[in-house]
Amino acid sequence: MRMAISVAVSGASGYVGGEVLRVFSEHPDVEFGSLTAHSSAGDLLGVHQPHLRTLADRTIVETTPETLAGHDVVVLALPHGASGEIAAQLPAETLVIDCGADHRLASAEAWAEYYGGEHSGTWPYGMPELITASGHQRDSLAGAKRIAVPGCNVTAVTLALQPGVSAGVVDPTDIVAVLANGYSGAGKKLATNLLASEGLGAASAYGVGGVHRHIPEIVQNLGSAGGEDVRISFTPTLVPMARGILATVTAPLAQGVTADEVRAAWETAYADEPFVHLLPEGQWPTTAATLGANTCLVQVTVDEKAGRVVVISAIDNLVKGTAGAALQSMNVALGRPETTGLQLRGVAP
Ligand SMILES: NC(=O)c1ccc[n+]([C@@H]2O[C@H](COP(=O)([O-])OP(=O)(O)OC[C@H]3O[C@@H](n4cnc5c(N)ncnc54)[C@H](OP(=O)(O)O)[C@@H]3O)[C@@H](O)[C@H]2O)c1
């Protein structure tokens, strides 16, 4: 007999909370308990998430240890800094999955430098595919009671480059990543630069010059994959789409390595991964092909004249970039098949 899994979702009125509700709804054993948030407490969920018809009549309640108590799983989809405090008040036996940044970084110094404030500690990292010294991160997630879901940009860049770093076919000291990002990555908050009148006809860079908060997390991951002295120039750009990340990641080809060896590194790394797909040679990832799906599409080639490996990856920032990674990690933590409830089919065109 299958066991039901009761799940509370905090931040249910936001983009990530809404996507957690949509994605987790596809899991055959998930039953939603409390749906919590902050300023929207007391509203019907359908006011804030009109696309979630099956949950439209549920009432959002305030986020407290009491409203989140009594569930098998609590998913936190709160602004960074808010989840550390509430998570510390949840029982040790509850599986808490944090989609925010509070528990991702191992280094308290990196937290202080990029986020500021007190570091909430480090939880098992919710990227099952991450290459580690002993295998893959999924091995560390089995039985976990606390999971830190990766940042969306971090997922796109890590999955793009980790095979090359792990196999030693790229030089990790000179990585350049430029990303095209959909607006939902910024959350629902109101800001002038996020208005349609500013963004619909424009592409614009942000977090430029080594200050973006996802940088230390990328360095941490590529270090996990075997990279020494990882250095990255990372620049995201907002482009007029609601969802999606297209990452272009390049790094110098390591000395004496052939193009065939480069391709073999990516083929080997992702041959058995259910959600990370190296496309046939010559086919380039598009964000559109990942929308709504828990997939990361990857292509790699060598620019011989530049002496650099060029990798393109595409994800849906709200699915593989967060809510899908949360469900995938929950499955592993609870000993369920990793792919249960997760979508390989995108929405196209
Ligand atoms: N957007 C993405 O693509 C993405 C991807 C990966 C990770 N993340 C991370 O996921 C988290 C949520 O992002 P988002 O894009 O969903 O943001 P969002 O759309 O702005 O939603 C924020 C949610 O948090 C609630 N909230 C705000 N302050 C709170 C507080 N003090 N206590 C309890 N609830 C509070 C809000 O509730 P009210 O509306 O009721 O005030 C809302 O439900 C962030 O940490 C973000 O960095 C986002």
Side-chain angles (χ1 to χ4, degrees):
M1 197 183 75
R2 302 180 79 134
M3 294 281 287
I5 305 165
S6 62
V7 178
V9 178
S10 182
S13 59
Y15 283 151
V16 171
E19 197 64 354
V20 166
L21 291 170
R22 189 184 73 84
V23 169
F24 278 58
S25 291
E26 298 300 322
H27 194 292
D29 303 328
V30 163
E31 292 173 358
F32 292 116
S34 300
L35 310 184
T36 83
H38 186 48
S39 59
S40 59
D43 294 349
L44 292 178
L45 186 81
V47 172
H48 299 276
Q49 310 286 15
H51 59 301
L52 301 177
R53 299 314 305 162
T54 52
L55 297 165
D57 293 336
R58 296 284 301 271
T59 300
I60 299 171
V61 298
E62 188 56 65
T63 302
T64 65
E66 292 73 32
T67 57
L68 294 177
H71 299 87
D72 299 315
V73 177
V74 173
V75 183
L76 302 175
L78 308 174
H80 75 259
S83 50
E85 193 183 330
I86 191 81
Q89 301 175 71
L90 297 176
E93 65 271 20
T94 304
L95 170 55
V96 184
I97 304 176
D98 186 5
C99 294
D102 294 26
H103 306 95
R104 294 176 193 155
L105 294 178
S107 160
E109 292 75 35
W111 175 267
E113 181 181 351
Y114 284 86
Y115 291 89
E118 201 173 325
H119 186 222
S120 299
T122 311
W123 289 359
Y125 192 65
M127 184 185 286
E129 304 89 349
L130 179 67
I131 298 170
T132 64
S134 56
H136 288 92
Q137 180 61 16
R138 55 173 56 86
D139 308 331
S140 308
L141 289 173
K145 289 296 184 187
R146 296 288 187 268
I147 293 172
V149 179
C152 50
N153 297 308
V154 179
T155 295
V157 175
T158 302
L159 294 178
L161 202 62
Q162 66 164 0
V165 171
S166 170
V169 300
V170 298
D171 171 4
T173 67
D174 179 19
I175 301 165
V176 178
V178 179
L179 286 69
N181 300 70
Y183 275 69
S184 60
K188 269 189 187 177
K189 65 179 174 291
L190 296 174
T192 304
N193 73 315
L194 303 178
L195 293 173
S197 48
E198 304 288 327
L200 280 180
S204 56
Y206 65 99
V208 184
V211 297
H212 195 285
R213 288 174 167 144
H214 285 166
I215 291 172
E217 197 183 329
I218 296 169
V219 171
Q220 179 174 297
N221 289 353
L222 296 179
S224 160
E228 282 177 22
D229 192 17
V230 175
R231 275 178 271 168
I232 180 165
S233 165
F234 170 88
T235 312
T237 58
L238 281 171
V239 298
M241 56 188 189
R243 291 179 184 232
I245 297 175
L246 187 77
T248 303
V249 187
T250 79
L253 186 62
Q255 207 88 67
V257 171
T258 66
D260 284 348
E261 288 168 331
V262 168
R263 187 151 192 94
W266 267 259
E267 281 174 349
T268 305
Y270 291 143
D272 298 325
E273 285 299 344
F275 298 114
V276 188
H277 297 174
L278 179 66
L279 294 179
E281 272 182 269
Q283 187 181 3
W284 296 96
T286 67
T287 56
T290 68
L291 292 191
N294 193 48
T295 49
C296 176
L297 302 184
V298 179
Q299 184 57 282
V300 60
T301 192
V302 176
D303 180 339
E304 299 281 359
K305 290 194 184 69
R308 295 181 77 87
V309 172
V310 180
V311 196
I312 309 282
S313 68
I315 60 168
D316 182 328
N317 55 298
L318 290 173
V319 188
K320 187 59 187 151
T322 186
L327 183 57
Q328 193 181 340
S329 296
M330 182 197 86
N331 283 334
V332 180
L334 297 181
R336 307 292 173 112
E338 188 174 322
T339 56
T340 304
L342 285 156
Q343 197 51 263
L344 279 169
R345 292 176 289 271
V347 180

